């Protein structure tokens, strides 16, 4: 059994310019662990064109996050404007290579700690409360991302990827309206620009989700109707290449509509899930750099 000792320091400095404006200087050391599917070495052969398996030797990636933020509040508005720099070591990424399976040429996909990365960018967050019924949160993130190249051996096969870099951005708008008779309507729009990954890149994509919620009996009973990907635009396309292959992969989920009924009783105070270092866990899909890793 191997025991490792790691320190994860954090530093938060605030300076108040006025009663409604302040500057923040922050530093945190972050850890992102692989999840179970990335570690499972079982070979998944459900895709006839590619065999996927996990890597039990995968190790966590570490990030030193530096940020400088300006915050300003008004009666119904909050503005946060920040810049950041995030160098990361042992970056976890999916890699692809050609090999043989049962004597036949086959594509394989697994996970590796490929190299180092750097991201630097700026983020704008604007929260508005309009007409006492509409809450609007707008997030815009623009950044430069650089991923170093790598070369290694997987199951006897030489695997490599060239260094890559690009300027990227993503945006998110969340609108929530409180209507009479305990109705709430929510719309969420997302957009992610072209992203670089090891051995290639992911195309830009965007989507819109809608939801409506109605509560009864002093909010003890709630009925919610959700429509994911209204315009059927959540399509994830990757272009990857190596010394002996070139691959275009496209994954697509059909729009989903679900109806949910919730009955609350007793003490139902929400508890936010936190990770081992006291930070709230990010339940979104994998992220890299200032934005997000391509979905596959």
């Amino acid at each position: 059994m191997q025991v490792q000792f790691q320190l994860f320091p954090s530093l938060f400095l605030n300076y108040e310019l006025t009663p409604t404006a302040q500057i923040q200087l922050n530093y945190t050391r972050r850890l992102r662990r692989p999840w179970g599917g990335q570690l499972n070495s079982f070979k998944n052969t459900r895709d006839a064109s590619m065999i996927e398996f996990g890597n039990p030797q995968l190790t966590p990636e570490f990030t030193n996050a530096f940020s400088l933020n300006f915050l300003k509040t008004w009666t119904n508005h909050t503005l946060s404007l920040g810049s950041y720099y995030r160098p990361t070591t042992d970056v976890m990424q999916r890699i692809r290579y050609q090999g043989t399976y049962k004597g036949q040429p086959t594509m394989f996909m697994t996970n590796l700690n490929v190299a180092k990365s750097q991201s630097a960018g700026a983020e704008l967050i604007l929260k508005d409360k309009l007409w006492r019924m509409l809450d609007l949160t707008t997030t815009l993130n623009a950044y430069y991302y650089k991923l170093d190249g790598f070369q290694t051996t997987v199951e006897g096969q030489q695997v490599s990827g060239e260094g890559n870099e690009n300027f990227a951005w993503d945006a998110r708008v969340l609108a929530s309206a409180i209507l009479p008779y305990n109705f709430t309507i929510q719309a969420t729009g997302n957009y992610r620009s072209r992203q670089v990954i090891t051995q290639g890149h992911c195309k830009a994509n965007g989507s819109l989700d809608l939801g409506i919620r109605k509560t009864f009996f002093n909010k003890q009973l709630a009925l919610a109707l959700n429509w994911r990907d209204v315009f059927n635009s959540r399509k994830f396309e990757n272009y990857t290449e190596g010394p002996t292959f070139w691959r275009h992969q496209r994954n697509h989920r059909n729009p989903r509509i679900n109806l949910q009924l919730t009955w609350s009783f007793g003490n139902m105070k929400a508890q936010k899930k936190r990770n081992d270092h006291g930070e709230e866990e990010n339940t979104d899909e994998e992220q890299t750099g200032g934005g997000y890793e391509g979905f596959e």
Side-chain angles (χ1 to χ4, degrees), residues 29-295:
R29 185 171 188 249
R30 300 174 180 174
L31 167 73
R32 186 165 76 95
R33 294 187 178 91
W35 59 282
Q38 293 175 303
L39 298 171
N40 188 353
S41 60
F42 175 79
K43 286 184 169 57
N44 188 335
T45 59
R46 63 182 178 181
D47 185 346
S49 65
M50 177 177 289
I51 295 177
E52 182 177 356
F53 62 98
N55 178 10
Q57 305 302 318
L58 201 63
T59 61
E61 63 181 37
F62 297 89
T63 300
N64 291 300
F66 304 86
S67 64
L68 177 64
N69 306 306
F70 170 75
L71 282 80
K72 173 69 176 178
T73 59
W74 295 270
T75 302
N76 294 317
H77 310 278
T78 301
L79 169 68
S80 173
L81 180 62
S83 60
Y84 58 84
Y85 173 62
R86 300 170 188 161
T88 302
T89 58
D90 297 325
V91 176
M92 295 184 293
Q93 293 252 312
R94 293 189 177 110
I95 60 98
R96 299 158 182 81
Y97 64 94
Q98 279 188 317
T100 57
Y101 182 72
K102 296 183 178 179
Q104 298 295 323
T106 308
M107 287 293 299
F108 291 88
M109 181 169 67
T110 188
N111 301 276
L112 286 181
N113 299 101
V114 293
K116 297 179 181 179
S117 72
Q118 299 179 69
S119 63
E123 185 176 51
L124 172 70
I125 302 175
L126 185 61
K127 296 184 178 181
D128 304 283
K129 188 171 183 64
L130 307 173
W131 307 295
R132 297 184 179 181
M133 58 171 287
L134 177 63
D135 289 325
L136 188 65
T137 302
T138 305
T139 303
L140 178 63
N141 181 32
Y143 61 96
Y144 165 80
Y145 182 67
K146 179 181 180 181
L147 180 64
D148 292 346
F150 76 98
Q151 186 170 357
T152 188
T153 302
V154 180
E155 295 192 336
Q157 299 290 329
Q158 290 291 329
V159 183
S160 63
E162 295 183 357
N164 209 343
E165 57 188 296
N166 79 329
F167 175 82
W169 64 280
D170 55 77
R172 176 184 174 91
V173 178
L174 172 63
S176 181
I178 301 176
L179 304 178
Y181 304 105
N182 296 321
F183 277 99
T184 303
I185 296 178
Q186 188 173 90
T188 305
N190 292 282
Y191 178 82
R192 293 171 181 170
S193 70
R194 180 183 182 275
Q195 310 282 325
V196 298
I197 57 175
T198 187
Q199 297 180 312
H201 69 273
C202 302
K203 287 189 64 176
N205 70 82
S207 63
L208 175 68
D209 300 333
L210 293 177
I212 184 170
R213 188 171 184 265
K214 163 72 174 174
T215 59
F216 307 87
F217 309 124
N218 196 26
K219 298 184 179 180
Q220 288 186 317
L221 189 68
L223 183 66
L225 179 66
N226 298 295
W227 185 2
R228 299 291 305 273
D229 194 13
V230 174
F231 297 112
N232 193 23
S233 59
R234 190 173 282 139
K235 300 176 176 67
F236 307 110
E237 293 187 65
N238 297 327
Y239 294 85
T240 55
E241 61 180 310
T244 60
F245 74 91
W246 183 89
R247 181 179 175 88
H248 172 206
Q249 182 174 350
R250 179 175 178 177
N251 288 355
H252 177 217
R253 289 182 180 178
N254 292 325
R256 290 171 291 169
I257 298 177
N258 65 74
L259 185 66
Q260 182 178 0
L261 182 64
T262 305
W263 176 34
S264 303
F265 59 93
N267 185 0
M268 297 299 294
K269 291 182 179 180
Q271 298 293 328
K272 291 184 178 181
K273 186 177 180 182
R274 294 182 175 272
N275 63 23
D276 296 340
H277 310 296
E279 298 176 350
E280 291 176 17
E281 287 192 348
N282 183 359
T283 55
D284 291 340
E285 289 86 346
E286 292 180 83
Q287 296 181 319
T288 67
Y292 303 84
E293 179 184 5
F295 299 91

